Short mmCIF file of all heavy atoms in Angstrom, two decimals:
data_model
loop_
_atom_site.label_atom_id
_atom_site.label_comp_id
_atom_site.label_asym_id
_atom_site.label_seq_id
_atom_site.Cartn_x
_atom_site.Cartn_y
_atom_site.Cartn_z
N TYR A 97 95.87 92.20 107.17
CA TYR A 97 97.25 91.97 106.72
C TYR A 97 98.08 93.26 106.78
O TYR A 97 97.78 94.22 106.08
CB TYR A 97 97.17 91.42 105.29
CG TYR A 97 98.44 91.36 104.47
CD1 TYR A 97 99.68 91.06 105.05
CD2 TYR A 97 98.41 91.60 103.10
CE1 TYR A 97 100.82 91.00 104.28
CE2 TYR A 97 99.55 91.52 102.31
CZ TYR A 97 100.75 91.23 102.90
OH TYR A 97 101.88 91.17 102.14
N THR A 101 105.01 91.93 102.75
CA THR A 101 105.51 91.63 101.39
C THR A 101 105.21 92.77 100.44
O THR A 101 106.07 93.20 99.66
CB THR A 101 104.85 90.34 100.86
OG1 THR A 101 105.24 89.25 101.69
CG2 THR A 101 105.26 90.05 99.43
N ALA A 102 104.00 93.28 100.53
CA ALA A 102 103.56 94.33 99.61
C ALA A 102 104.39 95.60 99.77
O ALA A 102 104.61 96.34 98.80
CB ALA A 102 102.09 94.63 99.84
N ASN A 133 100.26 88.74 93.36
CA ASN A 133 100.29 90.19 93.39
C ASN A 133 101.69 90.74 93.17
O ASN A 133 101.86 91.88 92.74
CB ASN A 133 99.82 90.69 94.77
CG ASN A 133 98.41 90.27 95.08
OD1 ASN A 133 97.51 90.46 94.26
ND2 ASN A 133 98.20 89.69 96.26
N ASP A 134 102.70 89.94 93.52
CA ASP A 134 104.06 90.46 93.52
C ASP A 134 104.54 90.87 92.13
O ASP A 134 105.26 91.86 91.96
CB ASP A 134 105.03 89.45 94.14
CG ASP A 134 104.79 89.33 95.64
OD1 ASP A 134 104.34 90.33 96.25
OD2 ASP A 134 105.05 88.25 96.20
N ARG A 137 103.33 94.35 91.54
CA ARG A 137 104.08 95.36 92.31
C ARG A 137 105.44 95.64 91.68
O ARG A 137 105.88 96.79 91.58
CB ARG A 137 104.26 94.89 93.74
CG ARG A 137 102.93 94.71 94.45
CD ARG A 137 103.06 93.91 95.72
NE ARG A 137 101.76 93.69 96.31
CZ ARG A 137 101.43 92.65 97.06
NH1 ARG A 137 102.35 91.71 97.32
NH2 ARG A 137 100.23 92.53 97.56
N SER A 185 104.97 78.06 100.28
CA SER A 185 105.69 79.19 99.70
C SER A 185 105.76 80.27 100.78
O SER A 185 104.74 80.69 101.32
CB SER A 185 104.91 79.68 98.48
OG SER A 185 105.34 80.98 98.16
N VAL A 186 106.98 80.66 101.10
CA VAL A 186 107.18 81.58 102.21
C VAL A 186 107.86 82.85 101.71
O VAL A 186 108.75 82.80 100.87
CB VAL A 186 108.07 80.92 103.30
CG1 VAL A 186 108.36 81.90 104.43
CG2 VAL A 186 107.39 79.68 103.85
N ASP A 187 107.43 83.98 102.21
CA ASP A 187 108.13 85.23 101.92
C ASP A 187 108.27 85.97 103.24
O ASP A 187 107.37 85.92 104.08
CB ASP A 187 107.32 86.08 100.94
CG ASP A 187 108.08 87.33 100.55
OD1 ASP A 187 109.08 87.21 99.81
OD2 ASP A 187 107.71 88.43 101.00
N SER A 194 105.00 85.59 105.41
CA SER A 194 103.75 85.06 104.85
C SER A 194 103.98 83.62 104.40
O SER A 194 105.07 83.27 103.94
CB SER A 194 103.29 85.91 103.66
OG SER A 194 103.93 85.49 102.50
N GLU A 196 102.02 80.40 102.29
CA GLU A 196 100.86 79.98 101.50
C GLU A 196 101.10 78.61 100.86
O GLU A 196 102.19 78.08 100.93
CB GLU A 196 100.51 81.03 100.42
CG GLU A 196 101.62 81.30 99.45
CD GLU A 196 101.34 82.47 98.49
OE1 GLU A 196 100.73 83.46 98.91
OE2 GLU A 196 101.76 82.38 97.34
N GLU A 270 92.20 86.25 101.55
CA GLU A 270 92.26 87.60 101.00
C GLU A 270 91.89 87.69 99.53
O GLU A 270 91.95 86.71 98.80
CB GLU A 270 93.65 88.20 101.24
CG GLU A 270 94.74 87.69 100.32
CD GLU A 270 96.14 88.09 100.79
OE1 GLU A 270 96.37 88.21 102.02
OE2 GLU A 270 97.01 88.27 99.93
N GLU A 280 96.03 82.99 103.11
CA GLU A 280 97.41 83.34 103.47
C GLU A 280 97.53 83.35 104.99
O GLU A 280 96.64 83.83 105.68
CB GLU A 280 97.69 84.74 102.93
CG GLU A 280 99.13 85.06 102.75
CD GLU A 280 99.66 84.64 101.39
OE1 GLU A 280 98.89 84.64 100.40
OE2 GLU A 280 100.85 84.32 101.31
N TYR A 282 99.90 84.77 108.01
CA TYR A 282 100.96 85.74 108.28
C TYR A 282 101.42 85.63 109.72
O TYR A 282 100.64 85.29 110.61
CB TYR A 282 100.44 87.17 108.05
CG TYR A 282 99.99 87.44 106.63
CD1 TYR A 282 98.64 87.54 106.32
CD2 TYR A 282 100.92 87.58 105.61
CE1 TYR A 282 98.23 87.78 105.02
CE2 TYR A 282 100.51 87.82 104.31
CZ TYR A 282 99.16 87.92 104.02
OH TYR A 282 98.76 88.15 102.74
N TYR A 322 98.87 97.47 98.56
CA TYR A 322 98.61 96.09 98.13
C TYR A 322 98.64 95.98 96.60
O TYR A 322 99.15 95.02 96.03
CB TYR A 322 97.25 95.64 98.67
CG TYR A 322 96.98 94.16 98.49
CD1 TYR A 322 97.44 93.23 99.42
CD2 TYR A 322 96.25 93.69 97.41
CE1 TYR A 322 97.20 91.88 99.28
CE2 TYR A 322 96.00 92.33 97.25
CZ TYR A 322 96.48 91.43 98.19
OH TYR A 322 96.24 90.08 98.03
N1 LIG B 29 99.52 87.47 99.65
C1 LIG B 29 100.52 88.34 100.14
C2 LIG B 29 100.64 89.57 99.30
O1 LIG B 29 100.12 89.60 98.23
C3 LIG B 29 101.86 87.66 100.33
C4 LIG B 29 102.50 87.11 99.12
C5 LIG B 29 103.80 86.53 99.52
N2 LIG B 29 104.39 85.67 98.56
C6 LIG B 29 104.72 84.36 98.82
N3 LIG B 29 105.39 83.75 97.90
N4 LIG B 29 104.37 83.75 99.91
O2 LIG B 29 101.24 90.54 99.71
#
Side-chain angles (χ1 to χ4, degrees):
Y97 168 36
T101 296
N133 299 310
D134 290 331
R137 298 165 184 151
S185 162
V186 176
D187 184 71
S194 85
E196 60 187 37
E270 76 192 32
E280 201 88 31
Y282 299 106
Y322 190 85

